[in-house]
Amino acid sequence: MSPAADAGALLRVEALEIAFRVRGGDVLATRGVSFEVRQGETLGLVGESGSGKSVLCRALLRLLPSPPAQIRGGRVLFDGVDLLALPEARMREIRGTDIAMVFQNPMTSLSPVWPIGDQVTEGLRIHRGLSKSAARDRGVELLRAIGIPDAARRYDDHPSQWSGGMLQRAVIAMAMACGPRLLLADEPTTALDVTIQEQILALLADLQAKNGMAMVLVSHDIGVVAETCDRIAVMYAGTLVETGPAAEVLGNPRHPYTLGLMRSSPRMDEHATRLQPIPGQPPDLARPAPGCPFVERCTFARDACRHESVRLREVAPGHASACLFPESVV
Amino acid sequence: MTVAAAPLLTVRDVHVRFAKPRGLVDLLLRRPASAVRAVEGANLALLPGETLGLVGESGSGKTTLGRAILGIHRVAEGDILYRGRAMGDPMPDWQQRLRREVQMVFQDPYSSLNPRMTIAQTLAEVLRFHRVVPTDGVDDEVKRLLDVVGLPQTMATRYPRAMSGGQRQRVGLARALAVRPSLLVLDEPVAALDVSIQAQILNLLADLREALGLSMLFVAHDLSVVRHVSDRVAVMYRGRLVEQGTRDEIFTAPAHPYTRMLLTAVPQLVARKRARVVQPATEMTEATAGGCPFAPRCPQAVDRCRAEAPAEVRLSPTHIAACHFAGG
Ligand SMILES: Nc1ncnc2c1ncn2[C@@H]1O[C@H](COP(=O)(O)OP(=O)(O)OP(=O)(O)O)[C@@H](O)[C@H]1O
Ligand SMILES: Nc1ncnc2c1ncn2[C@@H]1O[C@H](COP(=O)(O)OP(=O)(O)O)[C@@H](O)[C@H]1O
Ligand code: SF4
Ligand code: SF4
Ligand SMILES: [Mg+2]
Ligand SMILES: [Mg+2]
């Protein structure tokens, strides 16, 4: 299908393959990852640490250092244009305007020595050519929109004067400044307590509703994703193992790994005292074995799982699983 | 709660303060050093065999209180008693006994282990230092400890860098258990771990508590985690304990507005894209001196809250909350 024909997808990732060259072999950080995000939609990306979520996000923006990172194959179509094929200058422009990213640690994006307001509006001055005073007016507006009290005065504060939750708001304001069409948020609330987390998620949802922006929200917390996302993609050992509407994936998981993640999460809504951990550990990404990557930890595994190659296949409209026996997952 | 059992640990009106670092401007203007009040007037009691969960946001003072109990931070005011005797009592035999009976497990399994020692060497060192077993029994005891925390014997010769986060956290636990402590202070022991590994460690802690009759002070910022391990729960906000109760009291009848806010904010596993209201970032707003520390964020705050600090209200023999409106 030609990208232009699929009018709904703002971002379309096709068979993305990323490796890191390290001593003693290559680490395959993502293997044949494909997914779509439509305009105005929030896609939740979940999976345990090391599964490749951050690598994937950075790759979309071409922020991975190369070497050691190497894009081995695939396409990243944004509005039909393959970002992987663009000259770096054009990519820099897109990064500042059309696609923005928010990281787990706000200080990844902020300099400790400059006033916060100037940092929030830097993109407006560089990419939109705003004068210093026009940028300041807009910056105060942005700080107000993200709920910073007394914004005009706090514009000149330095990062050390703000709490972690407030800094994360500032980074979101910075990301929103040029009106991006896609926001990549990599664990934006993981370092915050639940009450501040709720404020940040509310802020993101609100900004998204106002701007019709699409969002990829990365989290290892299935609860966060459940409450924020329209669709979910579950990542395991560099592959997507289940994708679909949030209610479908969580209400009717069709991959044993998704089920395992849910069962091992402590929950508030039932009186379980014993959790059900997923046994074992993820496979070594430097030594990919044939068959299903989850086979060593899967309670549903059969002989075929060790040999047959797995790929996402539709199990219900819009809901796909990479398990060979999705119907046996209960 | 039985009245008969004497508490193993008593924390009585404890204050911990740190000198605020002075910046260049402060030095030039010869401003006096001021203090960060990390813990203000904490009261706690822990019974033998009991697990108390201590929750609160980052920076609320949980770690500081835990470290004060271990004697790592000096207590500015108040008393910490272990088996009824002041922990600060300098008698050498008492201090030696405390070093064995009270152990801490840290959040970061990466930095709390010696990178140049194998797991077996780390554990053997502790066993020899405290003469837990005769010298010729050390090897067997190392094996037993690995079993207790569910690590395969093949891990004995590994170095920390060659282990996963969950495995390292098990080693940290084995090291703390090596001296057969009565009281374990666990500071965010699962915060750095993935849910699947976190579940393994939480189950292990539950087993150990049953098997060894340990008392535990379990520090966490995650309420759903605390709910899985605690008999009682204490909630901390900006250096103060704002509510304490049994697990059921805290989770089914929370009395302090902050506790209620924490509970409603925990994400559930049910897909429901929630309509949320954008709140102003009030977390930096200073509370008025002499008023309730939670007033800037409290949905129920009235003028009285900004003028007068709430006293602790006793709602049941086991349930207390520091709010003017607790208990109706
Ligand atoms: N050694 C120290 N010197 C100065 N201030 C300190 C020191 N240790 C802690 N503090 C301050 O004391 C307060 C409480 O810190 P503490 O680390 O105990 O909180 P916490 O609730 O455990 O936070 P977290 O969840 O982030 O670990 C904070 O304001 C912190 O900055
Ligand atoms: N700079 C790098 N060099 C080598 N391997 C890397 C590098 N960055 C990430 N990886 C590997 O890529 C995989 C995915 O990592 P990451 O994207 O950070 O996971 P997540 O964000 O899901 O926690 C891991 O196996 C990790 O070790
Ligand atoms: S393909 Fe086999 S091993 Fe993989 S998840 Fe499905 S049942 Fe388990
Ligand atoms: S005393 Fe007032 S401000 Fe403090 S928690 Fe109670 S109602 Fe809220
Ligand atoms: Mg990551
Ligand atoms: Mg802490």
Side-chain angles (χ1 to χ4, degrees), chain B residues 23-52:
Chain B
L24 190 59
V25 180
D26 301 315
L27 290 172
L28 289 175
L29 295 177
R30 295 176 189 279
R31 281 191 197 138
S34 55
V36 178
R37 298 163 180 273
V39 177
E40 289 193 78
N43 288 293
L44 285 177
L46 190 59
L47 299 178
E50 188 183 47
T51 297
L52 176 70

Side-chain angles (χ1 to χ4, degrees), chain A residues 70-106:
Chain A
Q70 208 181 42
I71 302 212
R72 294 269 172 89
R75 299 199 296 170
V76 176
L77 301 169
F78 181 72
D79 222 4
V81 177
D82 186 1
L83 298 182
L84 300 182
L86 286 181
E88 178 55 30
R90 176 78 189 106
M91 192 62 219
R92 237 191 327 262
E93 222 175 287
I94 288 185
R95 250 183 244 136
T97 55
D98 287 330
I99 310 180
M101 182 148 180
V102 173
F103 299 91
Q104 170 172 344
N105 178 357

Side-chain angles (χ1 to χ4, degrees), chain A residues 255-256 292 294-295 298 300-301 305 310 323-325:
Chain A
H255 195 283
C292 173
F294 193 56
V295 64
C298 183
F300 302 91
C305 306
V310 291
C323 176
L324 292 172
F325 307 103

Side-chain angles (χ1 to χ4, degrees), chain A residues 48-49 147 161 163 165-166 169 193 195 198 202 222 226-227 230 267 270 272 274-275 277-278 281, chain B residues 57 167 194 196 198 200 203 207 224 227-228 263 267-269 272-274 276 279 281 283-284 297:
Chain A
E48 62 200 310
S49 79
Q161 291 166 273
S163 71
M166 285 176 86
R169 284 176 190 246
D193 98 88
T195 62
E198 177 149 284
I222 270 199
E227 294 194 344
D230 304 298
R267 350 186 10 158
E270 35 179 71
R274 197 110 193 129
L275 299 162
I278 304 173
Q281 281 166 36
Chain B
E57 65 185 348
Q167 289 165 341
D194 278 314
S196 60
Q198 175 179 305
Q200 295 173 8
N203 284 346
D207 294 344
S224 50
R227 185 165 173 266
H228 269 272
L263 284 168
Q268 309 286 301
L269 279 183
R272 42 158 190 163
K273 197 165 169 174
R274 269 209 269 175
R276 293 185 168 89
Q279 303 283 339
E283 73 248 42
M284 271 287 277
R297 285 174 68 187

Side-chain angles (χ1 to χ4, degrees), chain B residues 57-77:
Chain B
E57 65 185 348
S58 171
S60 59
K62 310 177 297 291
T63 302
T64 304
L65 182 55
R67 291 168 72 96
I69 290 168
L70 268 288
I72 301 169
H73 291 321
R74 208 176 61 82
V75 172
E77 274 175 56

Side-chain angles (χ1 to χ4, degrees), chain A residues 42 48-49 147-149 154 161-163 165-166 169 193-199 201-203 206 208 220-224 226-228 230 246-247 250 261-262 264-275 277-278 280-281 297, chain B residues 56-58 155 164 167 191 193-200 202-204 206-207 221-225 227-228 247-248 251 258 261-274 276-285 297:
Chain A
T42 303
E48 62 200 310
S49 79
I148 300 298
R154 308 215 67 157
Q161 291 166 273
W162 287 22
S163 71
M166 285 176 86
R169 284 176 190 246
D193 98 88
V194 286
T195 62
I196 309 297
Q197 165 168 290
E198 177 149 284
Q199 295 177 10
L201 294 177
L203 180 63
D206 182 68
Q208 189 186 22
H220 67 274
D221 185 339
I222 270 199
V224 165
E227 294 194 344
T228 323
D230 304 298
L250 300 180
L261 271 185
M262 293 184 68
S264 55
S265 302
R267 350 186 10 158
M268 300 286 282
D269 54 347
E270 35 179 71
H271 212 86
T273 44
R274 197 110 193 129
L275 299 162
I278 304 173
Q281 281 166 36
R297 306 172 75 184
Chain B
E57 65 185 348
S58 171
M155 291 272 165
S164 72
Q167 289 165 341
L193 307 174
D194 278 314
V195 281
S196 60
I197 315 293
Q198 175 179 305
Q200 295 173 8
L202 291 177
N203 284 346
L204 172 62
D207 294 344
H221 67 271
D222 188 336
L223 274 173
S224 50
V225 163
R227 185 165 173 266
H228 269 272
R247 178 176 59 186
D248 286 348
F251 285 95
Y258 178 58
M261 200 185 253
L262 278 176
L263 284 168
T264 50
V266 175
Q268 309 286 301
L269 279 183
V270 185
R272 42 158 190 163
K273 197 165 169 174
R274 269 209 269 175
R276 293 185 168 89
V277 186
V278 179
Q279 303 283 339
T282 44
E283 73 248 42
M284 271 287 277
T285 318
R297 285 174 68 187

Side-chain angles (χ1 to χ4, degrees), chain A residues 8-328:
Chain A
L10 177 66
L11 175 75
R12 188 180 162 89
V13 175
E14 292 176 351
L16 192 60
E17 198 106 3
I18 306 158
F20 288 98
R21 300 213 80 122
V22 291
R23 266 190 313 175
D26 293 355
V27 172
L28 266 182
T30 74
R31 283 194 278 169
V33 166
S34 304
F35 64 94
E36 282 182 4
V37 188
R38 285 179 278 271
Q39 195 179 323
E41 180 182 67
T42 303
L43 175 76
L45 190 59
V46 285
E48 62 200 310
S49 79
S51 58
K53 309 179 296 293
S54 302
V55 167
L56 180 57
C57 287
R58 285 170 190 264
L60 300 183
L61 277 179
R62 293 192 10 207
L63 288 173
L64 289 175
S66 177
Q70 208 181 42
I71 302 212
R72 294 269 172 89
R75 299 199 296 170
V76 176
L77 301 169
F78 181 72
D79 222 4
V81 177
D82 186 1
L83 298 182
L84 300 182
L86 286 181
E88 178 55 30
R90 176 78 189 106
M91 192 62 219
R92 237 191 327 262
E93 222 175 287
I94 288 185
R95 250 183 244 136
T97 55
D98 287 330
I99 310 180
M101 182 148 180
V102 173
F103 299 91
Q104 170 172 344
N105 178 357
M107 290 315 289
T108 309
S109 321
L110 293 168
S111 152
V113 297
W114 296 109
I116 291 167
D118 286 346
Q119 300 193 54
V120 166
T121 56
E122 195 185 354
L124 287 171
R125 279 174 283 133
I126 295 174
H127 298 290
R128 298 276 189 260
L130 260 62
S131 70
K132 189 136 190 178
S133 75
R136 190 183 177 97
D137 291 345
R138 179 76 188 113
V140 171
E141 250 173 63
L142 279 164
L143 292 185
R144 212 171 272 143
I146 56 159
I148 300 298
D150 208 0
R153 195 174 55 80
R154 308 215 67 157
Y155 185 96
D156 296 305
D157 281 358
H158 286 255
S160 64
Q161 291 166 273
W162 287 22
S163 71
M166 285 176 86
L167 290 173
Q168 198 56 294
R169 284 176 190 246
V171 170
I172 290 169
M174 192 190 296
M176 302 305 295
C178 294
R181 298 163 66 199
L182 172 67
L183 180 69
L184 306 175
D186 188 0
E187 308 257 10
T189 60
T190 302
L192 307 171
D193 98 88
V194 286
T195 62
I196 309 297
Q197 165 168 290
E198 177 149 284
Q199 295 177 10
I200 298 289
L201 294 177
L203 180 63
L204 285 172
D206 182 68
L207 293 169
Q208 189 186 22
K210 283 182 184 140
N211 307 346
M213 173 183 79
M215 180 157 80
V216 175
L217 179 76
V218 175
S219 181
H220 67 274
D221 185 339
I222 270 199
V224 165
V225 158
E227 294 194 344
T228 323
C229 299
D230 304 298
R231 287 194 311 124
I232 292 185
V234 182
M235 196 155 189
Y236 183 75
T239 65
L240 293 186
V241 295
E242 184 160 8
T243 59
E248 264 289 297
V249 172
L250 300 180
N252 190 17
R254 279 287 168 255
H255 195 283
Y257 178 64
T258 312
L259 190 67
L261 271 185
M262 293 184 68
R263 292 212 171 134
S264 55
S265 302
R267 350 186 10 158
M268 300 286 282
D269 54 347
E270 35 179 71
H271 212 86
T273 44
R274 197 110 193 129
L275 299 162
Q276 296 175 43
I278 304 173
Q281 281 166 36
D284 185 351
L285 296 182
R287 291 182 200 81
C292 173
F294 193 56
V295 64
E296 299 297 343
R297 306 172 75 184
C298 183
T299 47
F300 302 91
R302 307 178 197 178
D303 279 347
C305 306
R306 293 193 180 276
H307 320 294
E308 265 174 62
S309 67
V310 291
R311 60 182 175 81
L312 279 177
R313 283 172 309 174
E314 207 159 67
V315 290
H319 185 182
S321 163
C323 176
L324 292 172
F325 307 103
E327 66 291 343
S328 59

